[in-house]
Amino acid sequence: MTQMAIVADIHGNLPALNAVIDDLASVGVDAVINLGDCLSGPLWPRETAERLRGQDWVHLRGNHDRQVAADVPETLGLSDAYARGQITD
């Protein structure tokens, strides 16, 4: 039987993401769906993006992910603007 997990609202919190990844591995989760809002926040957006790229998960874009990636920088809130400035294509 496949063990599945759902994660969401990481918001650049790399230490929390690492703890979740470790926990998922310890309980034998086979598949993960990430519901998004991964990077927005004044924490570690670039490092969080790099860590997520290494996961074999299904990733969906949340509303903040769309804003960080697509909106005009001048219209972004402080957290989204910070995240956008930390990441690259």
Side-chain angles (χ1 to χ4, degrees):
M1 175 182 271
T2 299
Q3 295 285 355
M4 185 175 288
I6 296 173
V7 299
D9 294 299
I10 299 162
H11 289 285
N13 190 340
L14 183 61
L17 174 61
N18 285 332
V20 168
I21 291 170
D22 290 345
D23 188 56
L24 293 173
S26 75
V27 296
V29 170
D30 303 307
V32 178
I33 299 172
N34 172 10
L35 298 180
D37 287 353
C38 301
L39 308 180
S40 177
L43 299 170
W44 302 275
R46 182 180 73 265
E47 296 87 348
T48 300
E50 291 167 358
R51 183 76 162 117
L52 286 169
R53 282 189 192 115
Q55 302 306 307
D56 186 24
W57 296 356
V58 173
H59 299 280
L60 304 175
R61 288 193 308 171
N63 61 313
H64 285 278
D65 300 323
R66 287 188 298 276
Q67 292 166 0
V68 167
D71 284 358
V72 177
E74 295 77 27
T75 66
L76 297 175
L78 292 176
S79 290
D80 288 341
Y82 176 79
R84 184 181 179 109
Q86 296 297 306
I87 60 174
T88 64
D89 291 336

